[in-house]
Amino acid sequence: MQCHRLKIAIALLAIFIGAAVAQEPVPTRLLVLGESFSDLPILWEQEEPFAPVGKWMSELQLQWVVRDDGIAIKTPSNRFFFWSSNAATVTANGRTVEVTPLRQKGEEFWVPLISLAKILGLTAIVNPEKRVIKLVSPLQSVEAIQTEIGWLVTLTFGYPLNSFPKTGTLRQPDRAYADFLGAALTEVSLPTPTSTAPVTGFRLGQFSDDPPIVRFVADANQPLSIGVAGRELAKDGRERWHLLLQPIVNRPQWVGQILLRENTPERATFLLLGWFGSGLKLRQEGKALIVSLPTKPLFSIAPSDFGEGLVQAALVETENGEARLSVALRQPANAYLRTEGDLGFALVIEVPSQVARQVRLIIVDAGHGGKDPGAISPLRTGKPQLIEKHLTLDIAFRLKRLLENAGYKVVMTRTEDVYVPLPDRVAIANNLRADAFVSVHLNSFPQPGAQWGTEVYFWTPQSYPLAESIYRNLLAILGRKGNGIRQRQLYVVRHTVMPSVLVEPCYLNHPEEEELLRDENFREKIAIAICRGIMEFFGDLRTLERRGE
């Protein structure tokens, strides 16, 4: 009898010791929608693992407030719930969920991860042996309908993902795919195409477990294109992604959805999802922006609280069969369209800096002039020839306006169609002891149409950072091919004593770039890109995100 009691006591002691050990946080790898948090302290208890309230919750787009008796949480779909330290249930969006109570160590709360997943509609994958925990969004359904412009496919996930899917196409056989980071595959029914052109079937797979990626595949009998058409967040917290599949041959233009990415008092950005063929046209009238759209969007503008940001209101209007995006601003600002890869275009709106860190003098040199016309576009029926000296002066005046709005002093080497010798241009800059010299030109090639793209020239080492900054902004804003930053002994950059560059944004005798240069909006974009490059060089503007060559 005493032996039996001793065994029970030893067993109870072992349980007690095990529980005590389990109460100590253990370094654990936590993946939240694909984002990895290594060596996060996790309490491994018998019921489920607990993580301390902290940065990892931001990857779930949660907002929270810690109180004395628990945590108040707001979800991306604007659902609120309170999780008290001793509650066995949590009510969120009218639904009551049984949970493990929060743990509290000192003033810090620890969240039970399996319970959190149940509340939010996530799936928790727990591997105690490898000390790995994954919070993933389960795929819940796939729907597809055939439209006049292609197959529209909708994938619904249990919780919002953090990034757009990576899309692409493959050949032999032809197929298109979309990879959803942070997602987990579940058993869902796939629709069956009712016709055989161009889509022949749909497939799903767990493309990767670490990081978790669900791959959607559309098989086809001809080359296929795929694009993200829209993203919708439902009130119940689920998220719907819309994809559009089209044959590449005779691909019709389309607009999916217009999303407001950011809206601060100084800067706003819209993302225009779609396939726009040759591009979009932007018109600016004071505090109003108008973007002409090739067709009415498939989905409404994503609802947004504009708050006190630069954008006051935005809507899509249709008049005489033509669609347009109208944006009302709270104050005048510079706007330009930037390509966003396969997604479409970004409409970027920025208030120029009113006061530079210090007043600097910039010499803006409009290339050629008077008896020196520069490059001339080829003869085309029904279209006037473009002459470089006129276009460079137009761009120079635009650049002068932008720089002065930003707080710089500007002197132009010429303000009309006159010939200014190169030594005189250099003398203006050197005698005034300018802070920078920027010469604006347009390129040409002996064989018209054989070369196109953007180049920036420099000579002295002090000029390279200015050239790099302007070049990077030109590539990002114009979306043309980058031909490089080139060191050449050009007269105006070799004889000036300050940082000096010569800018060649594009080729006047390339048919596509010639047409772009006929558009004053494109010339405004050239001026904006050069202005941004100058401001970044002097540290008066945050550096534009690098987007490669």
Side-chain angles (χ1 to χ4, degrees):
M1 187 67 171
Q2 288 182 348
C3 180
H4 180 67
R5 288 176 179 173
L6 180 60
K7 288 181 180 178
I8 293 176
I10 292 173
L12 290 172
L13 180 60
I15 293 173
F16 175 78
I17 293 173
V21 172
Q23 288 294 326
E24 291 301 316
V26 177
T28 301
R29 184 161 171 256
L30 175 64
L31 282 88
V32 183
L33 298 178
E35 181 69 22
S36 179
F37 293 85
S38 300
D39 297 328
L40 188 72
I42 297 290
L43 291 174
W44 287 86
E45 295 199 357
Q46 187 174 0
E47 300 89 349
E48 57 184 293
F50 291 72
V53 171
K55 183 180 176 182
W56 62 271
M57 295 171 64
S58 297
E59 289 300 318
L60 295 171
Q61 305 170 58
L62 297 176
Q63 299 177 37
W64 67 92
V65 176
V66 177
R67 299 177 181 172
D68 292 339
D69 56 343
I71 312 170
I73 296 176
K74 179 184 176 184
T75 70
S77 57
N78 291 322
R79 290 186 296 164
F80 293 86
F81 62 91
F82 181 73
W83 199 339
S84 69
S85 56
N86 56 4
T89 61
V90 167
T91 300
N93 198 32
R95 184 172 64 97
T96 300
V97 180
E98 292 186 358
V99 297
T100 301
L102 298 172
R103 293 289 182 268
Q104 189 169 9
K105 293 173 68 67
E107 297 181 355
E108 189 173 39
F109 284 109
W110 295 66
V111 179
L113 296 176
I114 296 175
S115 297
L116 179 67
K118 285 196 297 182
I119 296 170
L120 298 179
L122 293 161
T123 296
I125 302 172
V126 180
N127 189 329
E129 294 180 358
K130 294 185 177 181
R131 295 292 192 233
V132 175
I133 305 166
K134 303 174 189 176
L135 297 179
V136 294
S137 180
L139 176 64
Q140 295 185 334
S141 67
V142 179
E143 301 170 284
I145 58 172
Q146 193 168 13
T147 70
E148 293 181 355
I149 59 173
W151 277 93
L152 187 63
V153 180
T154 300
L155 293 89
T156 301
F157 293 87
Y159 193 82
L161 301 174
N162 279 338
S163 57
F164 276 69
K166 177 185 176 183
T167 58
T169 58
L170 300 167
R171 301 296 308 275
Q172 298 181 346
D174 290 304
R175 57 205 187 276
Y177 67 87
D179 288 342
F180 294 87
L181 175 65
L185 189 62
T186 58
E187 291 187 12
V188 297
S189 299
L190 286 173
T192 302
T194 55
S195 65
T196 59
V199 177
T200 58
F202 302 116
R203 291 182 284 130
L204 288 169
Q206 190 71 45
F207 184 70
S208 169
D209 288 319
D210 192 357
I213 297 174
V214 166
R215 170 166 285 191
F216 165 80
V217 179
D219 294 310
N221 54 17
Q222 58 180 285
L224 199 63
S225 70
I226 183 170
V228 178
R231 179 184 194 179
E232 293 181 295
L233 182 60
K235 291 182 180 179
D236 61 4
R238 296 188 298 171
E239 184 176 57
R240 299 183 183 91
W241 286 92
H242 304 286
L243 307 174
L244 189 67
L245 302 162
Q246 296 176 298
I248 290 180
V249 179
N250 299 322
R251 183 183 182 188
Q253 295 183 83
W254 58 275
V255 184
Q257 190 177 37
I258 299 172
L259 306 170
L260 181 64
R261 273 183 164 176
E262 63 174 326
N263 188 26
T264 70
E266 294 79 29
R267 178 183 169 93
T269 306
F270 287 91
L271 178 60
L272 286 71
L273 299 172
W275 163 246
F276 302 98
S278 59
L280 295 169
K281 289 192 174 181
L282 168 65
R283 187 168 79 252
Q284 195 162 352
E285 300 172 356
K287 293 191 290 185
L289 304 175
I290 298 173
V291 180
S292 299
L293 303 174
T295 183
K296 183 179 179 181
L298 297 172
F299 302 96
S300 302
I301 291 182
S304 175
D305 179 8
F306 293 106
E308 298 299 318
L310 179 57
V311 172
Q312 186 173 24
L315 74 158
V316 172
E317 302 172 306
T318 304
E319 184 176 336
N320 299 325
E322 295 184 356
R324 64 187 186 186
L325 168 66
S326 297
V327 180
L329 305 178
R330 286 192 165 86
Q331 60 177 307
N334 300 325
Y336 59 90
L337 291 162
R338 181 181 70 201
T339 57
E340 289 290 296
D342 294 335
L343 290 176
F345 279 86
L347 171 61
V348 182
I349 313 163
E350 295 176 321
V351 176
S353 173
Q354 296 302 310
V355 181
R357 293 184 181 180
Q358 67 181 75
V359 178
R360 292 183 171 89
L361 174 61
I362 311 299
I363 304 300
V364 175
D365 174 45
H368 308 282
K371 66 181 182 180
D372 176 14
I376 302 175
S377 67
L379 283 169
R380 300 190 188 282
T381 304
K383 291 187 177 181
Q385 283 185 288
L386 297 179
I387 302 175
E388 183 181 0
K389 66 176 183 177
H390 296 153
L391 296 178
T392 58
L393 187 59
D394 174 82
I395 295 168
F397 271 120
R398 295 173 185 273
L399 177 57
K400 178 178 185 290
R401 185 193 79 243
L402 293 169
L403 286 169
E404 288 178 339
N405 288 344
Y408 294 83
K409 287 182 63 178
V410 178
V411 171
M412 296 176 62
T413 57
R414 69 180 180 96
T415 58
E416 54 186 341
D417 185 16
V418 295
Y419 175 72
V420 180
L422 297 182
D424 291 355
R425 299 174 191 243
V426 170
I428 291 171
N430 289 342
N431 291 340
L432 291 176
R433 297 182 180 180
D435 294 286
F437 176 94
V438 177
S439 186
V440 180
H441 286 253
L442 292 166
N443 226 329
S444 65
F445 196 72
Q447 182 181 351
Q451 180 62 288
W452 62 283
T454 299
E455 296 147 27
V456 176
Y457 294 85
F458 77 104
W459 175 242
T460 63
Q462 67 171 342
S463 299
Y464 177 81
L466 176 61
E468 190 277 335
S469 183
I470 291 176
Y471 179 71
R472 178 163 34 81
N473 277 273
L474 284 166
L475 293 190
I477 293 174
L478 301 186
R480 309 308 295 166
K481 180 182 68 169
N483 296 326
I485 305 168
R486 301 178 176 181
Q487 188 174 28
R488 296 286 189 275
Q489 294 192 50
L490 303 175
Y491 191 93
V492 292
V493 298
R494 183 161 55 98
H495 290 90
T496 41
V497 297
M498 71 290 301
S500 305
V501 296
L502 187 146
V503 181
E504 301 269 16
C506 51
Y507 280 72
L508 188 54
N509 64 351
H510 183 276
E512 184 178 343
E513 296 193 331
E514 174 193 333
E515 278 305 307
L516 289 171
L517 287 165
R518 292 183 187 277
D519 183 359
E520 65 176 279
N521 291 317
F522 184 77
R523 300 197 297 274
E524 181 76 7
K525 287 166 67 173
I526 293 174
I528 289 173
I530 297 173
C531 179
R532 280 196 62 107
I534 294 170
M535 294 181 71
E536 286 185 13
F537 171 72
F538 286 115
D540 295 327
L541 190 69
R542 65 181 183 181
T543 301
L544 186 70
E545 177 185 351
R546 295 176 183 268
R547 295 178 177 271
E549 299 298 306

